[in-house]
Amino acid sequence: MESKSDKNRRTVKKSKLCDVMAMPYPYMAWLCMSNDPDNTTTDNWTELHEYIWKELELPFGDALFLRSFNQNLPGQVNLADQPHILKAHAHDSLHFWGDYQHARQRAFDRQDAEDAERALAENNFTPRVWVDHSNNRANFIHSANEGTIPAFKDSSGVEYKNFNYSLDIAERVGIKYVWNGTITPYISQDTDLPYASYLKDMGMSRSKRLIYPLLNTAAGNSRLGQFLPSITNDNKQVWSHLFPDGRKLYCFIRYGTWEDADIDGLANIISPSNISKLLERGGTCIAYTHLGKRKPSRANDKQHIPETTRAALKNLKAQYEGKSLMLSSISTMLDYLVIRDNIVIDDTSGTINFKPDGIRFKKLTPEDL
């Protein structure tokens, strides 16, 4: 007799002889943590490392600042000042090239990316994931995109080299996945998303949840559709994106709210009720947070991680050990989805072939698989 959990497991490709599961068996859903390292002090980092990666042994990847010049947050942990962090637990993400916000006269320049490339090689670190930081003009997508434009032309046609450009260097050091600059309120990507369910997770009233789907259907391609809530890329977790310089990389979306993007709000983002939703829907989730940031009301608390967040993280561990919820780094999840979606099954023989996607995998090797 088929169990409820078996029914909840999705297949993405079927043939007469074999099926391709949406995610690794026997897991029903998949969650990653996308942590921006803003505000993380040495003490906070140590507590987070000891609890999340050592005590609970959650297999998340982490993000880091390569350097920090922020004059308002002078104690931020970064690779240049605390090189031990890279080997302490798994990392796969860069938060920009470092923190150049509130740096006064120390603005970002392309040469900083070139210096970062050398530092990454020296530390034998190949990052796969990129997350823009704050409103830096040299970001790739979020708030600005000067980092993706090699040169500018004025109205006379005179061309000027752009010293904020660094996407070519990012690709060279290993970046394949770029945050698309937005967050979604719906806790389940890589699944079909009913518009009414999306509106409900946005907190829309019942009346709007009844009317908006009708308006959305009626709008079609008309201007009315511009004023209605829209689902990003049909609720995909990862998709290819063409940047202004002609490079094609993958983009991904994060789940959460701006208000809950700290260690206190993480208890809401990964609450047992939200995890139950994710398991029921059977999709993926990249949870957006700042593990090192806390609410000002708790500024003087000796314990950085509140008990509510500790309990929510313990629930993740229980679901992971129970083989219900897959946990991993972002790059592991997205690599899996890319390979999965490029599988070709021969209906006659049942042979599974892997077609290189041309962005992340120029060719596929046994080690990749």
Side-chain angles (χ1 to χ4, degrees):
M1 184 175 181
E2 189 179 39
S3 68
K4 181 180 178 182
S5 61
D6 286 330
K7 290 179 181 178
N8 284 350
R9 294 190 183 98
R10 296 183 297 114
T11 58
V12 292
K13 294 180 182 178
K14 292 179 177 288
S15 77
K16 297 175 183 177
L17 299 176
C18 64
D19 296 339
V20 176
M21 305 298 291
M23 58 195 62
Y25 185 85
Y27 300 98
M28 294 184 294
W30 197 334
L31 182 136
C32 304
M33 196 87 73
S34 184
N35 170 47
D36 294 351
D38 314 35
N39 296 68
T40 305
T41 65
T42 300
D43 288 346
N44 292 350
W45 184 92
T46 300
E47 184 179 330
L48 292 162
H49 168 71
E50 291 293 327
Y51 187 68
I52 297 174
W53 281 275
K54 293 194 70 176
E55 182 176 336
L56 295 183
E57 297 182 308
L58 299 181
F60 291 132
D62 202 359
L64 55 74
F65 280 136
L66 291 172
R67 303 180 73 181
S68 178
F69 300 99
N70 194 315
Q71 298 300 301
N72 284 320
L73 298 168
Q76 286 186 128
V77 170
N78 65 91
L79 184 62
D81 294 330
Q82 291 90 10
H84 69 280
I85 64 175
L86 186 58
K87 294 182 179 180
H89 59 248
H91 289 75
D92 68 345
S93 306
L94 293 184
H95 199 28
F96 192 70
W97 296 110
D99 193 354
Y100 293 82
Q101 298 301 105
H102 312 292
R104 308 194 69 164
Q105 297 181 33
R106 184 60 177 83
F108 172 78
D109 182 85
R110 179 178 169 84
Q111 185 174 334
D112 292 309
E114 295 169 346
D115 293 341
E117 182 176 20
R118 287 189 286 272
L120 290 168
E122 290 168 2
N123 284 279
N124 197 30
F125 176 38
T126 302
R128 295 295 181 201
V129 180
W130 174 278
V131 174
D132 285 328
H133 177 45
S134 189
N135 59 356
N136 197 302
R137 290 175 57 186
N139 279 348
F140 293 165
I141 294 180
H142 179 63
S143 296
N145 71 339
E146 285 192 17
T148 68
I149 303 171
F152 298 108
K153 285 185 179 181
D154 64 18
S155 56
S156 298
V158 179
E159 186 169 281
Y160 303 90
K161 188 175 181 179
N162 175 21
F163 297 107
N164 278 331
Y165 173 64
S166 67
L167 183 61
D168 60 330
I169 301 175
E171 184 183 38
R172 203 158 63 216
V173 302
I175 296 296
K176 299 298 180 184
Y177 304 108
V178 179
W179 174 46
N180 79 322
T182 64
I183 54 177
T184 175
Y186 190 79
I187 187 165
S188 182
Q189 278 58 69
D190 192 46
T191 59
D192 293 333
L193 171 49
Y195 193 58
S197 297
Y198 180 72
L199 298 177
K200 184 176 181 179
D201 280 21
M202 286 184 69
M204 290 282 184
S205 65
R206 187 172 183 276
S207 59
K208 288 183 177 179
R209 297 202 308 269
L210 291 172
I211 296 171
Y212 276 27
L214 298 175
L215 291 176
N216 190 54
T217 302
N221 296 321
S222 70
R223 291 187 61 189
L224 173 62
Q226 300 174 19
F227 302 100
L228 297 171
S230 60
I231 300 169
T232 302
N233 256 284
D234 296 324
N235 200 42
K236 292 179 182 176
Q237 183 65 82
V238 61
W239 62 92
S240 62
H241 178 79
L242 183 64
F243 286 89
D245 67 349
R247 295 176 192 279
K248 185 179 285 188
L249 297 173
Y250 286 110
C251 276
F252 66 94
I253 195 167
R254 305 195 283 183
Y255 161 75
T257 68
W258 304 113
E259 295 79 11
D260 280 330
D262 54 40
I263 194 63
D264 300 276
L266 183 60
N268 300 325
I269 297 300
I270 59 168
S271 66
S273 61
N274 271 342
I275 297 305
S276 293
K277 277 186 187 179
L278 179 61
L279 290 169
E280 182 64 29
R281 293 167 176 174
T284 62
C285 173
I286 297 178
Y288 164 54
T289 189
H290 297 79
L291 293 175
K293 189 183 292 187
R294 65 172 85 173
K295 293 287 189 275
S297 60
R298 287 204 313 112
N300 297 320
D301 284 8
K302 291 183 179 180
Q303 182 171 279
H304 177 65
I305 309 174
E307 290 302 325
T308 51
T309 300
R310 287 174 180 265
L313 289 165
K314 284 182 180 178
N315 179 58
L316 292 187
K317 180 180 176 67
Q319 298 291 344
Y320 178 59
E321 290 183 337
K323 304 294 184 182
S324 294
L325 181 66
M326 178 69 175
L327 304 177
S328 76
S329 67
I330 299 170
S331 57
T332 297
M333 174 201 281
L334 299 185
D335 280 355
Y336 180 92
L337 297 181
V338 167
I339 292 175
R340 182 202 73 186
D341 291 345
N342 283 276
I343 282 176
V344 179
I345 305 175
D346 187 311
D347 268 339
T348 303
S349 65
T351 303
I352 298 175
N353 299 308
F354 298 91
K355 180 182 177 183
D357 63 292
I359 299 176
R360 170 63 178 94
F361 299 100
K362 304 295 184 183
K363 62 180 181 178
L364 282 170
T365 67
E367 288 75 21
D368 295 325
L369 302 178

